[in-house]
Amino acid sequence: MSLQTRLRIARRSIANYSSKLRRKRKSSRRSTIRSIDSAALLLKVALEQPLIEHAIKPVQPNDIDSGIHDDVDLSKIGNCHEIRTSLKELQKYEIMIQNQGGELVNLLTKELSTGAISRATIDRIQLFKMASGAMIDAAANFTDIATNEIDFLKNLFIQEREIRFKLEKENFELKARMDEPSTSRTKNRANTTDSTDVEFFDAIEGSFEIASNEQQVLVREKGKYQASLRINNKVEYKPLLMSPLTEELPGKFEVMAIEKKHQRRTKIPFRPSNSVNYLALAKHCVGKDPTKISMPVDFNEPLSVLQRSTEDLEYVYLLDMALEETQDPSRRLAIVAIFALSAYSTTGVRTTKPFNPLLGETYECDRSADFGWRSVAEQVSHHPPTCALYAEGRRWKLNQSYTLSTKIKGKSLCVSPVGSTYIRFEDNDDLFVYDKVMTATTMTNIVTGKLQTENFGDLVVMNAKTGGKCELKFHDRGYFSREEPRKVTGEVCDPNGLVEYRIEAIWDRYAHLYKIDSDEKIEHEDTIWTINSLPENSSQMHNFTKFAIELNEPEDGVASTDSRLRPDQRLMEDGDWSNANAIKQKLEEAQRVRRKEREEKGTASRPVWFVRKSEEEMIDKNDVYKFNDEYWRYKMNDEWDVCPKIFDY
């Protein structure tokens, strides 16, 4: 029996018996130690196993493929860095289990003579439960990464050998095809780019292989873009890649154009180490609404509120995972609730504030090519500040609008979102609704300006179609609280109120899902979500994740009101804070002038891409805006004249 299996058995035994002991604790303060003798023995056996670094055999190059070249640097291929990181994490948890498990065995041995279990022992059992759970998760993660790495390297070198023999033949065939006259080369779709950057080819049947990602070929069937493949200057092929937003279609695909492939950036300029007078800020802002105060960019990060709202979609793969749960509606609800929880994963280290968007400012995030979704957000109101967001995947749609209410109270900045999120699944028309919880950023040291962010409150996710409900509690850790920091617990109930799942999570680390039977025993356990690791030097780049680094990356073809075109935000990202502050004041003053002109004319501002719903269309009082799908047509035709000129100053 492997170490991982023994740990899992020990953990479940301890968890089940400790749960029973807690239920009996109200009727009797004393409990027999005999009931956990088996669990203690399993624990002791698990702790006597050899260290993780000796128990787990590292992946060796010779175990992968005998045909690998000797001059290949395996450290630069695939996920070798992730394997090393995962192994270090595994070894860390192993040390934690040995320390906590040893202390637990000592406590159980001492209390064997008295026949009673103390509260301290129960707490120690809970700590060991969490540590062993993290150990199991880390072991599973390491196994998955190592397995994927082996498969990746095998496929890589197999493809390399195949391409070497086929390359000459494929180049010859493609050259012959390009030399043939074809009417498709003279055709051009409306609003195409300059002819020097685009080439057209005949319809090509079947799937293809490529060996580079320098350029991208758009593939079309029946007049619609359905897939893409990449091609380099030598015209080498690799397998055809389908767009995540479409199903794989058989038949002929017409190669329409070769375009440059967009490479996402991996870093941004480091944040200057300017000193910030937090004491002066608190003195002038106590009791005021920060949204009505002109704050210098020194307190900002180079993202707008619209981009921060879009950042909530970083773990949107959880919605795709929930869609696969077609037989268990309660598990589907639980995964959607964990998706709602994941939106808070970066708030713990992001203590700077995003830019308040100008009225009419927008942000588009089209990740359909790599992640399978796209979204548009717009600042639909300035006072009170309200952001509306629409996102769509292949089989789901998300709508939300939130008005942020913020107050500075003493050393804390509290942000209360007022609004709701609505997620509709298209397979059976499930509709999930939830509100966000309060976020508080507290200044723990007013001299050094050290900040700490916490989330607290209840987050309730409802399935409006079935009546199922999940209640998540973000625990508020007080000065004398014994709760684990940033802890979240929750229960998933069916329409009759019966608890079917429990959720235990740390909102900036992971989320576990437990299947519960009628006797409240754990039938099954899964780790549904873990946070993505931060990139190298993230602390010097505003503590951004890889996804956050990509959000403000310049992109062609977006609306003229897009946050990426905002000049003060761009200067702030580049480290030119002096000019950023000057332009920020000019933009805000220009906005006040536009507002005054509207008041004099007696006209009200209206969103460009969101429309207020009628009472008959609204699901509830927070369901206010619906997205105007014409946005994508305007984008295709590059017709942005309808956008206000909000960045002129």
Side-chain angles (χ1 to χ4, degrees):
M1 186 181 296
S2 65
L3 173 60
Q4 180 176 344
T5 304
R6 281 192 285 269
L7 286 173
R8 188 182 294 277
I9 295 174
R11 181 189 175 199
R12 289 182 176 177
S13 299
I14 293 175
N16 288 334
Y17 283 112
S18 62
S19 177
K20 291 181 180 179
L21 290 174
R22 285 198 301 272
R23 289 197 294 269
K24 294 179 181 180
R25 192 164 175 261
K26 293 184 178 180
S27 58
S28 173
R29 300 289 296 180
R30 300 179 62 83
S31 174
T32 176
I33 196 70
R34 300 174 185 174
S35 61
I36 61 170
D37 280 348
S38 59
L41 290 174
L42 287 171
L43 172 62
K44 185 176 181 181
V45 171
L47 293 173
E48 291 174 351
Q49 296 301 312
L51 293 176
I52 295 298
E53 59 182 344
H54 302 300
I56 298 178
K57 181 181 178 181
V59 180
Q60 299 292 340
N62 294 334
D63 297 335
I64 298 173
D65 190 85
S66 58
I68 296 179
H69 300 294
D70 295 334
D71 58 346
V72 175
D73 185 1
L74 293 179
S75 65
K76 297 181 180 179
I77 298 180
N79 298 323
C80 288
H81 175 70
E82 293 185 16
I83 290 179
R84 290 193 295 270
T85 303
S86 180
L87 180 58
K88 290 180 181 178
E89 185 178 5
L90 199 57
Q91 293 170 347
K92 178 185 71 174
Y93 287 131
E94 187 269 342
I95 295 173
M96 291 174 58
I97 286 181
Q98 286 215 343
N99 294 338
Q100 296 181 9
E103 294 177 9
L104 179 58
V105 171
N106 292 336
L107 286 174
L108 293 175
T109 304
K110 291 179 182 178
E111 295 176 355
L112 181 62
S113 59
T114 63
I117 298 179
S118 65
R119 178 62 185 177
T121 303
I122 294 177
D123 291 342
R124 180 62 63 181
I125 291 174
Q126 291 294 333
L127 288 174
F128 180 80
K129 172 186 173 183
M130 299 182 67
S132 59
M135 174 71 176
I136 293 172
D137 296 336
N141 184 50
F142 175 84
T143 303
D144 292 341
I145 294 176
T147 302
N148 293 337
E149 184 68 4
I150 292 174
D151 294 339
F152 170 81
L153 291 174
K154 283 183 177 179
N155 294 333
L156 179 66
F157 291 104
I158 289 174
Q159 291 178 7
E160 181 183 0
R161 287 195 298 268
E162 292 177 350
I163 290 174
R164 187 179 299 112
F165 293 107
K166 295 180 180 180
L167 179 59
E168 183 176 353
K169 178 181 178 180
E170 291 174 339
N171 285 341
F172 175 81
E173 292 177 350
L174 182 64
K175 184 177 184 303
R177 184 171 298 175
M178 293 177 63
D179 291 338
E180 294 176 358
S182 173
T183 57
S184 65
R185 298 188 199 176
T186 61
K187 294 180 181 179
N188 194 349
R189 62 183 176 91
N191 304 299
T192 188
T193 55
D194 184 65
S195 59
T196 58
D197 298 327
V198 182
E199 299 179 39
F200 296 91
F201 300 88
D202 293 328
I204 302 176
E205 184 175 0
S207 60
F208 304 90
E209 294 185 348
I210 60 171
S212 173
N213 61 355
E214 295 178 4
Q215 293 178 321
Q216 184 175 19
V217 176
L218 300 180
V219 180
R220 188 179 75 173
E221 180 176 2
K222 298 179 181 179
K224 296 182 179 180
Y225 291 103
Q226 300 290 355
S228 64
L229 60 87
R230 299 184 183 91
I231 185 170
N232 72 348
N233 295 330
K234 295 182 180 180
V235 199
E236 302 169 2
Y237 299 128
K238 273 188 179 178
L240 181 68
L241 302 176
M242 302 301 299
S243 169
L245 285 176
T246 60
E247 300 291 343
E248 186 170 356
L249 300 175
K252 291 186 177 181
F253 293 92
E254 182 181 357
V255 179
M256 292 298 298
I258 297 180
E259 297 179 354
K260 293 285 185 179
K261 180 186 179 294
H262 180 65
Q263 298 287 347
R264 297 284 175 181
R265 65 181 184 180
T266 58
K267 60 183 179 180
I268 57 176
F270 288 176
R271 182 183 181 92
S273 56
N274 295 21
S275 60
V276 178
N277 191 339
Y278 288 94
L279 183 61
L281 171 67
K283 178 180 178 182
H284 290 91
C285 297
V286 171
K288 298 181 181 179
D289 185 350
T291 61
K292 297 182 180 180
I293 302 173
S294 181
M295 305 280 285
V297 300
D298 306 55
F299 302 98
N300 287 53
E301 63 182 18
L303 291 178
S304 70
V305 171
L306 303 175
Q307 291 166 310
R308 282 294 294 268
S309 298
T310 306
E311 195 175 350
D312 293 351
L313 303 174
E314 178 172 1
Y315 300 98
V316 81
Y317 70 84
L318 291 169
L319 297 183
D320 297 324
M321 183 189 301
L323 276 162
E324 301 302 322
E325 297 294 337
T326 58
Q327 304 300 322
D328 190 346
S330 293
R331 182 176 173 86
R332 171 178 281 195
L333 173 59
I335 297 175
V336 173
I338 293 175
F339 166 73
L341 180 155
S342 71
Y344 301 91
S345 59
T346 62
T347 57
V349 294
R350 301 272 287 280
T351 54
T352 49
K353 65 180 291 292
F355 278 76
N356 291 328
L358 301 174
L359 182 62
E361 187 172 334
T362 62
Y363 179 69
E364 169 203 326
C365 188
D366 189 352
R367 303 303 296 266
S368 56
D370 47 0
F371 295 151
W373 59 269
R374 60 185 182 181
S375 68
V376 176
E378 181 178 3
Q379 188 76 357
V380 295
S381 174
H382 188 61
H383 289 301
T386 305
C387 164
L389 181 141
Y390 168 82
E392 62 181 7
R394 186 165 61 182
R395 293 182 293 165
W396 56 264
K397 293 182 179 179
L398 181 149
N399 287 278
Q400 71 178 34
S401 60
Y402 284 95
T403 299
L404 299 182
S405 174
T406 56
K407 287 290 183 182
I408 293 180
K409 299 178 180 179
K411 297 190 298 181
S412 297
L413 171 65
C414 298
V415 179
S416 301
V418 179
S420 297
T421 300
Y422 307 88
I423 304 174
R424 187 179 296 277
F425 287 177
E426 296 181 353
D427 61 342
N428 63 356
D429 218 30
D430 274 344
L431 176 63
F432 301 94
V433 183
Y434 60 88
D435 301 347
K436 293 186 176 182
V437 300
M438 180 180 293
T439 299
T441 301
T442 304
M443 190 177 301
T444 58
N445 190 319
I446 202 166
V447 177
T448 62
K450 185 178 181 180
L451 303 175
Q452 177 177 320
T453 301
E454 296 293 340
N455 302 292
F456 53 90
D458 296 331
L459 192 156
V460 180
V461 183
M462 293 283 298
N463 187 333
K465 178 185 176 182
T466 65
K469 181 172 66 172
C470 175
E471 296 185 4
L472 295 177
K473 180 177 180 59
F474 286 69
H475 294 261
D476 183 12
R477 190 190 185 199
Y479 289 105
F480 304 103
S481 173
R482 301 181 66 180
E483 294 281 3
E484 183 171 355
R486 303 177 177 179
K487 181 179 179 181
V488 180
T489 57
E491 294 183 341
V492 182
C493 302
D494 65 9
N496 298 319
L498 178 66
V499 178
E500 294 193 341
Y501 288 92
R502 285 203 178 99
I503 296 174
E504 292 183 6
I506 305 299
W507 52 257
D508 62 347
R509 289 172 55 193
Y510 59 81
H512 297 315
L513 182 62
Y514 302 92
K515 173 66 175 174
I516 306 299
D517 62 15
S518 57
D519 296 328
E520 297 187 355
K521 294 182 180 179
I522 299 175
E523 289 184 349
H524 186 68
E525 172 187 346
D526 282 323
T527 300
I528 301 298
W529 165 76
T530 55
I531 190 173
N532 294 330
S533 58
L534 294 175
E536 186 178 2
N537 298 320
S538 176
S539 60
Q540 297 174 277
M541 298 185 291
H542 315 277
N543 288 310
F544 279 1
T545 62
K546 179 181 181 297
F547 183 64
I549 289 174
E550 298 168 353
L551 288 176
N552 201 44
E553 184 176 3
E555 184 175 330
D556 296 332
V558 298
S560 58
T561 53
D562 196 279
S563 296
R564 285 164 287 191
L565 302 177
R566 181 167 173 166
D568 55 344
Q569 183 172 306
R570 182 64 60 190
L571 287 170
M572 188 264 166
E573 180 182 276
D574 294 338
D576 190 355
W577 288 11
S578 177
N579 286 329
N581 277 316
I583 294 179
K584 181 174 183 291
Q585 292 181 4
K586 293 179 180 179
L587 289 174
E588 292 172 348
E589 179 59 31
Q591 179 172 237
R592 286 189 285 268
V593 170
R594 291 192 297 270
R595 179 182 181 183
K596 185 177 179 180
E597 291 175 350
R598 287 194 303 269
E599 291 176 348
E600 292 175 350
K601 295 178 182 179
T603 59
S605 64
R606 293 183 179 179
V608 178
W609 307 113
F610 286 84
V611 182
R612 292 187 69 90
K613 291 184 176 181
S614 62
E615 292 186 2
E616 293 76 15
E617 296 177 299
M618 295 172 62
I619 299 173
D620 54 36
K621 64 178 182 179
N622 291 328
D623 184 25
V624 180
Y625 296 96
K626 63 179 178 180
F627 178 62
N628 180 6
D629 291 329
E630 287 294 296
Y631 177 92
W632 303 112
R633 183 179 67 82
Y634 279 89
K635 175 181 174 63
M636 181 181 298
N637 297 327
D638 198 23
E639 297 176 353
W640 299 122
D641 294 340
V642 296
C643 299
K645 295 178 172 33
I646 60 174
F647 296 146
D648 292 346
Y649 54 90

